Amino acid sequence: MKNLIDGKWVDSSSGKTLDDLNPATGMKIDTFPAATKDDVSRAIDAAEGTFWKWNDLGSKERGRIIRKAGDLIQAKRKELEDLLVRECGKIRPQAQEEVNGVLDQIYYYAEFERKINGDLVEGDSSTRKIFQYKVPRGVVVALTPWNFPAAMVARKLAPALMTGNSVVLKPSSDTPLIAEWIVRKFQEAGIPDGVLNFVTGKGSEIGDFIVSHKKVALVTLTGSTGTGQRIIQQSSANMSKLMLELGGKAPFIVWNDADMEKALTTLVWAKFWNAGQSCIAAERLYIHEDIADKFEEKFISMTKGIKVGDPETAQMGPLINHDAQKNMENVIAESEKENLKILSGGRKPDLKGEFNKGFFFEPTLIDNVPQKSSIFQDEIFGPVLGIHRVNDWDETIKMANDSQFGLASYLFTEDNKRIYQASEAIRFGELYVNMPGPESSQGYHTGFRMTGLAGEGSKYGIGEYLQLKNVYVDYSRDKLKLGSIPGF
Ligand SMILES: NC(=O)C1=CN([C@@H]2O[C@H](COP(=O)(O)OP(=O)(O)OC[C@H]3O[C@@H](n4cnc5c(N)ncnc54)[C@H](OP(=O)(O)O)[C@@H]3O)[C@@H](O)[C@H]2O)C=CC1
Ligand SMILES: O=C(O)[C@H](O)CO
């Protein structure tokens, strides 16, 4: 593996590398460069130096190059799917689905070519005009996560580049190979040298340096709330624009008139998709007490039936690393401390052969979780779900909103009045009614409260990469009179 700096694939200037593991087996699959601050500086300098050249190409040509990257990815998509299985532990169908997502993002954002329009506004007289241009911000730093390591790279690169920004990408240290593979396709598609740079290394070592660098105009991160908070502090050095997509704690409300089969199937997806490692994952089930016994009985049986293991054949794969597996054990220890009942799962599965050392955890359900419990307040980010029975609508909405996070939420009911009420009252960036996610490219993926700042997707998301600039012009040729300074 190499880094891409100013169009050249290079090792770290220190020669140091880090290990890349397969989460299904715990075995090393590769090493990657531990970039130094000097490497990062050169990447940022290259991005700054090529910004105007890329901007001046025009959006039509940029769109062509981005679409070509999509075509190149499509042509070799199996390689990317294989990497998603091997480096991230995705089960095969979810690896395929993620590559579809990558292509969807790339082609969606390429459609904005020739559509980045500003406004022409009349000034304070008819001969005065204000040209409101939408201009790129400059150097974008993209920090991507490991949970959707290909889709998140595409979701940041395509709009940043489409709008004329130059980029330095630093991927998660758990999934650098996947990011490198995509960057190579963008380079092959014709992105000029220096416009897209790629550095790898521990966020804890080079992160502060990147985000506080004077030449950086925008930082976009998908990751943890702690990292987001640190970036807010560090980036104050140059007041960069921030796009932060952080933690989630999605409530999943099933009312007594819900289509039960639909709610059950969606909940299997919302909890166990990507082994629960998604920020839109259901983390709190609020089930109406009239239907709770039946719903729980069916859901426990569905949960117990989920096959965990080899990503090529199983229905749920491993967690990303040993720490993530340990976090699930801590959640279980906490629930035992609180005397909560584990309805299913709660342990590492006993897998045979090479998967024995993988970072797996059983799909787990915890009953009667109090609203104030850490199980209902802190992000779990794994295949563990807490259950709480409800009967009062207003109280349920209040509990759903009682979270520091505010990304996704789910509601199952056949009552239109409740749907409209929830659409107003639920204080989350996304509400999925009678359907699963994930978010669409044309939706605006954004969170309330400590889920972060700004958002991605749609014309609003692409707008975050642009800055509105105002040019005032007077074309009257009349003599100028300054009323505010007598005599002029
Ligand atoms: N919203 C979401 O979709 C995601 C949420 N999370 C949440 O975060 C938890 C921990 O996951 P983790 O991977 O540690 O998340 P992090 O927030 O640590 O990592 C996300 C990205 O930020 C980088 N990073 C880390 N520290 C810094 C820093 N100081 N400055 C700049 N960049 C930095 C990481 O690099 P590096 O890998 O080198 O540390 C990675 O590229 C998860 O369990 C989950 O709760 C995680 C991923 C995605
Ligand atoms: O945030 C996430 O986890 C991804 O956007 C998928 O929803």
Side-chain angles (χ1 to χ4, degrees), residues 262 409-413 415 419 422-423 431-436:
K262 216 185 244 182
S409 55
Y410 299 82
L411 170 64
F412 282 76
T413 176
D415 180 344
I419 294 173
S423 305
L431 172 64
Y432 294 93
V433 180
N434 297 329
M435 62 175 283

Side-chain angles (χ1 to χ4, degrees), residues 143-147 170-173 201-204 207-208 211 221-224 227 230-231 245-246 279 379 381:
L143 304 164
T144 52
W146 44 263
N147 58 341
K170 195 213 86 67
S172 163
S173 296
K202 287 267 165 230
S204 52
D208 286 357
V211 302
L221 161 81
T222 300
S224 63
T227 302
R230 188 170 180 98
I231 288 174
E245 201 247 281
L246 313 172
C279 55
E379 187 177 43
F381 223 70

Side-chain angles (χ1 to χ4, degrees), residues 18 32 141-148 152 155 170-175 200-211 219 221-228 230-231 234 245-248 277-280 283 320-321 323-324 327-328 379-382 407 445 451:
L18 295 161
F32 59 96
V141 162
L143 304 164
T144 52
W146 44 263
N147 58 341
F148 296 94
M152 297 302 117
R155 180 151 92 187
K170 195 213 86 67
S172 163
S173 296
D174 284 305
T175 50
T200 51
K202 287 267 165 230
S204 52
E205 282 163 27
I206 52 173
D208 286 357
F209 183 76
I210 303 181
V211 302
V219 178
L221 161 81
T222 300
S224 63
T225 297
T227 302
R230 188 170 180 98
I231 288 174
Q234 295 297 320
E245 201 247 281
L246 313 172
Q277 303 170 110
S278 115
C279 55
I280 62 166
E283 295 241 337
I320 190 67
N321 55 32
D323 284 353
N327 285 346
M328 295 310 112
E379 187 177 43
I380 291 175
F381 223 70
L407 186 59
H445 193 50
T451 291

Side-chain angles (χ1 to χ4, degrees), residues 257-444:
D257 60 350
D259 176 330
M260 204 185 276
E261 289 313 310
K262 216 185 244 182
L264 283 162
T265 313
T266 302
L267 186 55
V268 169
W269 175 85
K271 181 67 266 182
F272 302 117
W273 182 49
N274 204 31
Q277 303 170 110
S278 115
C279 55
I280 62 166
E283 295 241 337
R284 299 176 279 155
L285 171 62
Y286 294 104
I287 176 79
H288 196 287
E289 62 184 19
D290 292 352
I291 56 165
D293 285 345
K294 198 160 158 213
F295 190 92
E296 279 187 30
E297 188 194 326
K298 286 194 174 184
F299 194 61
I300 291 168
S301 132
M302 286 163 111
T303 299
K304 285 187 171 158
I306 292 172
K307 191 167 169 241
V308 182
D310 180 357
E312 290 294 354
T313 52
Q315 291 164 306
M316 198 180 92
L319 296 168
I320 190 67
N321 55 32
H322 183 254
D323 284 353
Q325 192 185 40
K326 196 94 201 95
N327 285 346
M328 295 310 112
E329 287 173 348
N330 293 342
V331 170
I332 301 305
E334 183 56 38
S335 66
E336 279 162 0
K337 230 194 298 166
E338 293 184 34
N339 289 320
L340 300 176
K341 187 170 167 203
I342 310 281
L343 296 173
S344 69
R347 290 176 301 130
K348 294 189 263 186
D350 189 15
L351 297 173
K352 302 276 168 287
E354 58 176 339
F355 302 112
N356 188 256
K357 292 206 164 57
F359 310 123
F360 296 90
F361 203 79
E362 289 178 344
T364 300
L365 304 178
I366 308 176
D367 207 8
N368 283 328
V369 178
Q371 178 65 20
K372 291 293 166 210
S373 160
S374 63
I375 316 276
F376 259 27
Q377 293 295 328
D378 300 340
E379 187 177 43
I380 291 175
F381 223 70
V384 178
L385 178 71
I387 304 175
H388 187 95
R389 294 184 179 208
V390 291
N391 55 24
D392 180 275
W393 173 255
D394 291 338
E395 188 55 27
T396 305
I397 297 287
K398 220 160 114 193
M399 286 192 289
N401 283 338
D402 171 29
S403 171
Q404 60 176 318
F405 303 114
L407 186 59
S409 55
Y410 299 82
L411 170 64
F412 282 76
T413 176
E414 295 296 307
D415 180 344
N416 283 342
K417 192 167 154 218
R418 290 196 196 281
I419 294 173
Y420 290 125
Q421 281 175 345
S423 305
E424 297 285 336
I426 286 273
R427 304 280 296 162
F428 283 74
E430 276 164 15
L431 172 64
Y432 294 93
V433 180
N434 297 329
M435 62 175 283
E439 69 274 12
S440 301
S441 299
Q442 67 275 24
Y444 182 58

